[in-house]
């Protein structure tokens, strides 16, 4: 299949750029004590997860039970659900998955520990948890130190497999790298490693200390005592992370078609916010100067030309850099893997 | 199935509210010369489209060929694609659909007219078009009057079935009703009706004059010479349209579960922007005072309580009013039809 045969709107990944990101990140972790466990939520493509594992990743991180289920079905042997789950239904599903693969889930409350332990006993299946520590994002998580220790102890006492601790410093991913920012990342890593030491002093072995993202991997991934990094966005790379100073290469675009040229300085494309997320800002147009996406309606994209006339005709295809890959991938069922003008592979996005 | 058995996050429609909206709108059109052709893009549920037709709608409006295909497959006999399409692939698909049902598409350029006429000749199938007129939204569309006439003539000369004109006054949907706003809606309706008269004076019969939305239906639907209204959002109704002063009843909510209670004044729910669009603003929490959604991350919703403690526990379910139904429905595959505590029906959302 050739590029021009793709029906629009369509999500595309530049394979050269994506592979360069894959190898760049794998290269960093080669020889580091910490390993990479990439986040699945960003691309939701089992085929890409398997490529990441082939390149050295020790398993996958994910955000939901549903994602864990998809990963188990595709043969990923080790999965961290870096998120809280609640309710007997969900925990029963978690127990089912735990029979098939090494699946772990984050906990940040006595409530969750008791509920998970209860299902583990009922179903007679050992269940693995990590204590989620709030490292400043102020989303989920218990405070580091004593509260983390208390929860870990409780998990052990109730018969859960306490695998370690995690803490996601999302608040630092959005700040461009600098000595000061990187110092804050080390403070986060240290608080996790200190919590690890606290647990181990109390006789609780800690196998996993998980943290880090695409913006901070090179700091937390090199920090003594951190065992794994959750970075995900590096693979497809979007212009939002790029703005934050990431060294990876943009690879993700939305292919659209001009469907209307109502005025010399305006065009309308067949791609709106149902295909391209604007939750974090608007996309840039790829490879054409003086052409700007001005607005996304539900089903339309409004394009403006600096130079009236602009040379863009109805039927012409146009590529937009995906600004926020997480929310955009979530709008699609497939992603076309493109090299030059060829579609080499179609990646299924699973939901 | 009972409400508490629904796995979260889940999209829910209150059947009483939805049916009251259905009948309220149908009631307005009973006895009007204009008819209702509701927009499908808002709910994407074939079962709801069939309910709308049963209640008196003359067919469906939609935004994409894909939606038209879904409607044809579900037996909707008359469909207006109120949007431009471009490219031979798309027009061939349009021709295929036109063999199975009365499908019409908007055109706003000579380019589109020629391309569609060419496919009609090649495939030997009559193809129906409406001239899309820019009535101030400044998206697609030709200017009213002479330019509309020229395009209509060209369509007729090239052998297309010219069915009429359409113009969507999206810029007026967002303004709350007032004498002034309603006056502007009448100006729009008049420009469409004037264009109709111009075409008819030139011997081009006009069957359809389509305009209007949930914010303006009662003005344009009562305007002499308008034949049909494209309103869609009225059925599910969201808080965005409500803010604009619509008389319909909110019916659409997102059911989520509290997964973390990290601090007395905060909770985290299992619903982020991958399940609930924040493109037009944040959702309100249903039925609980002093509880506010403060932010949506990709996979998390951050809840704050005015009254620390708040009484909300891990595992507890919480409902959020959908703020922007178009973009939120687009994130789901099914919608639970709920009456009191019972799930009466599960609506498939087709993409």
């Amino acid at each position: 299949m050739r590029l021009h045969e793709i029906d629009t709107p369509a999500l595309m990944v530049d394979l050269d750029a994506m592979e360069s990101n894959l190898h760049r990140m794998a290269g960093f972790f080669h020889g580091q004590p910490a390993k990479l466990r990439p986040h699945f939520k960003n691309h939701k493509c089992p085929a890409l997860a398997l490529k990441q594992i082939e390149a050295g990743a020790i398993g996958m991180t994910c955000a939901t039970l549903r994602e864990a289920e998809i990963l188990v079905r595709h043969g990923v042997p080790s999965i961290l659900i870096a998120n809280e789950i609640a309710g007997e239904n969900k925990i029963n599903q978690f127990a089912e998955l735990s029979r098939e693969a090494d699946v772990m889930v984050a906990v940040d409350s006595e409530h969750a520990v008791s509920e998970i332990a209860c299902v583990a006993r009922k179903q007679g299946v050992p269940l693995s948890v990590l204590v989620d520590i709030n490292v400043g994002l102020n989303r989920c998580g218990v405070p580091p130190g004593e509260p983390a220790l208390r929860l870990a102890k409780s998990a052990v006492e109730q018969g859960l497999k306490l695998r370690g601790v995690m803490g996601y410093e999302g608040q630092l991913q959005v700040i461009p790298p600098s000595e000061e920012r990187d110092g804050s990342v080390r403070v986060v890593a240290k608080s996790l490693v200190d919590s690890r030491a606290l647990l181990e002093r109390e006789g609780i072995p800690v196998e996993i200390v998980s943290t880090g993202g695409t913006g901070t991997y090179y700091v937390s991934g090199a920090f003594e005592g951190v065992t794994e990094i959750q970075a995900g966005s590096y693979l497809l790379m979007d212009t939002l992370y790029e703005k934050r100073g990431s060294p990876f290469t943009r690879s993700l675009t939305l292919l659209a078609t001009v469907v209307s040229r109502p005025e010399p300085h305006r065009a309308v494309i067949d791609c709106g916010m149902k295909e391209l997320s604007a939750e974090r800002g608007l996309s840039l147009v790829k490879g054409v100067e003086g052409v700007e996406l001005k607005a996304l309606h539900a089903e339309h994209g409004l394009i403006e030309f600096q130079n009236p006339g602009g040379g863009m005709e109805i039927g012409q295809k146009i590529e937009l850099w995906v600004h926020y890959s997480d929310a955009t991938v979530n709008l699609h069922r497939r992603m076309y893997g493109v090299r030059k003008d060829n579609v080499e592979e179609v990646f299924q996005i699973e939901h």
Side-chain angles (χ1 to χ4, degrees), chain A residues 3 7 16 27 41 47 50 53 96 100 106 126 187 196 205 212 232 237 258 264 269 284 326 336:
Chain A
L3 185 56
D7 204 22
D16 286 338
K41 81 184 174 86
L50 297 177
I53 289 170
E96 282 310 310
E100 295 176 56
V187 170
R196 170 193 194 148
M237 204 47 202
V258 174
I269 54 174
L284 300 171
D326 242 69
Y336 294 87

Side-chain angles (χ1 to χ4, degrees), chain A residues 21-33:
Chain A
N21 293 337
L22 180 74
H23 298 308
R24 181 187 188 112
M25 190 59 109
F28 172 82
F29 283 96
H30 190 74
Q32 295 281 349

Side-chain angles (χ1 to χ4, degrees), chain A residues 69-80:
Chain A
E69 189 190 314
I70 292 162
L71 289 166
V72 168
R73 184 154 34 84
H74 284 86
V76 174
S78 174
I79 298 152
L80 166 59

Side-chain angles (χ1 to χ4, degrees), chain A residues 57-92:
Chain A
I58 54 169
M60 294 300 290
T61 305
C62 66
T64 64
L65 254 176
R66 173 74 187 132
E67 288 175 351
E69 189 190 314
I70 292 162
L71 289 166
V72 168
R73 184 154 34 84
H74 284 86
V76 174
S78 174
I79 298 152
L80 166 59
I81 305 169
N83 206 348
E84 278 64 17
I85 59 174
E88 207 183 328
N89 263 356
K90 284 259 168 41
I91 297 170
N92 281 333

